[in-house]
Amino acid sequence: MRSHDVDYRILGHDIQVLEVELDPGETVIAEAGTMVYMDEAIAWDTRMGDGSEPDQGFFGKLMSAGSRLITGESLFMTHFTHAGSHGKAKVGFSAPYPGSIMPLDLATLPNGLIVQKDGFLAAARGTKLAIHFNQRLGSGFFGGEGFILQKLTGDGKAFIHAGGTVIERTLRNEMLRVDTGCVVAFEPGIDFSVARAGNLKSMIFGGEGLMLATLRGSGRVWLQSMPVKKLIQALMPNGANAQKESGGVLGGLGRILDQ
């Protein structure tokens, strides 16, 4: 089916909100638990699958929805529809941690888009979400995106969430090496693999982890400056920023003496 043609705007800076404006009969699909507010005319329903194949039988819907469990997502998605007969109605969504919302027009991506497993936020109904297996086994063991990614296809608007700031790069038969957790999305023409981060000394003392993601080919790549795993590490009591907050070594000594 053709995707619904929804309007939208993105509010805020650090923790952004996606506001989608619907005409009567239009629907937007979203991950469960991301809705912030909705107008009175909005009706919502939790369903299995993305609704891109309305004539699909129950078994097909179950298989489609079940594939989301493999990526670690919920079995169900929420469908928000303007159930009124006139005017426009709005519904707002927010991502679960600070970052940026990327609006993408899938009509400009005829081969679809490969997205990290927790990057999808919302999309116009008609967008198809499917699992995408990374053919390189090493990428599954060591890559921040894991062995299984999501693939979005359609001809409407889709919205992806990234941690921190989004950086878009266009590769022209080039190679780009990236922290494994910083890859948000890439076009299917890009080959994604994971390689050792330099020699043994660099791996142990370089602070960049044991592995780096390698993106090679031609197409667009979207990166994030603060993946959620780095955010969690930075906020942990014994994380990398613990001594900075307390004034370094002397601050740590003070905490010991206070005990």
Side-chain angles (χ1 to χ4, degrees):
M1 64 178 294
R2 288 189 58 83
S3 299
H4 290 187
D5 186 15
V6 302
D7 298 316
Y8 72 94
R9 63 174 180 160
I10 295 174
L11 309 175
H13 301 284
D14 298 325
I15 304 179
Q16 295 183 324
V17 171
L18 166 67
E19 184 181 84
V20 178
E21 188 177 72
L22 301 175
D23 291 320
E26 287 185 340
T27 299
V28 61
I29 60 173
E31 288 288 0
T34 58
M35 189 275 295
V36 179
Y37 59 87
M38 56 182 171
D39 286 344
E40 182 179 4
I42 298 291
W44 59 280
D45 187 22
T46 302
R47 306 177 189 176
M48 288 190 300
D50 51 41
S52 61
E53 300 179 65
D55 297 328
Q56 192 178 41
F58 174 78
F59 182 74
K61 292 180 180 179
L62 183 63
M63 292 295 292
S64 176
S67 66
R68 288 173 47 80
L69 294 179
I70 301 176
T71 66
E73 302 294 345
S74 169
L75 181 66
F76 298 94
M77 299 193 71
T78 309
H79 295 228
F80 297 86
T81 303
H82 185 338
S85 57
H86 61 276
K88 295 179 180 291
K90 299 175 182 178
V91 54
F93 306 98
S94 178
Y97 58 92
S100 305
I101 296 174
M102 302 161 40
L104 296 168
D105 186 357
L106 293 178
T108 66
L109 297 163
N111 296 320
L113 186 70
I114 310 301
V115 182
Q116 64 164 332
K117 64 181 182 179
D118 59 349
F120 173 75
L121 179 61
R125 189 185 180 204
T127 302
K128 183 176 180 59
L129 282 75
I131 58 174
H132 175 80
F133 289 96
N134 196 320
Q135 296 180 356
R136 295 179 181 268
L137 190 60
S139 301
F141 290 139
F142 302 111
E145 281 57 55
F147 184 61
I148 301 171
L149 305 166
Q150 294 187 92
K151 185 173 184 180
L152 308 182
T153 53
D155 55 10
K157 300 290 192 309
F159 305 92
I160 309 301
H161 178 259
T165 300
V166 177
I167 304 97
E168 180 179 338
R169 293 283 304 268
T170 299
L171 303 184
R172 296 177 175 85
N173 197 24
E174 298 170 294
M175 183 188 75
L176 182 67
R177 303 190 76 183
V178 185
D179 180 291
T180 54
C182 291
V183 179
V184 179
F186 52 91
E187 293 187 272
I190 299 293
D191 178 67
F192 171 78
S193 62
V194 174
R196 192 177 64 183
N199 56 33
L200 184 60
K201 179 181 177 182
S202 299
M203 292 171 64
I204 297 176
F205 301 108
E208 304 300 336
L210 300 179
M211 298 288 172
L212 289 175
T214 299
L215 301 165
R216 191 191 309 268
S218 297
R220 284 180 290 175
V221 173
W222 290 265
L223 310 175
Q224 58 186 354
S225 64
M226 180 59 76
V228 65
K229 69 174 185 179
K230 283 191 174 182
L231 179 62
I232 293 172
Q233 290 170 356
L235 297 177
M236 289 175 61
N238 296 319
N241 292 325
Q243 290 188 352
K244 297 178 184 178
E245 179 68 22
S246 58
V249 176
L250 293 179
L253 180 60
R255 290 200 308 272
I256 295 174
L257 294 177
D258 287 339
Q259 295 179 353

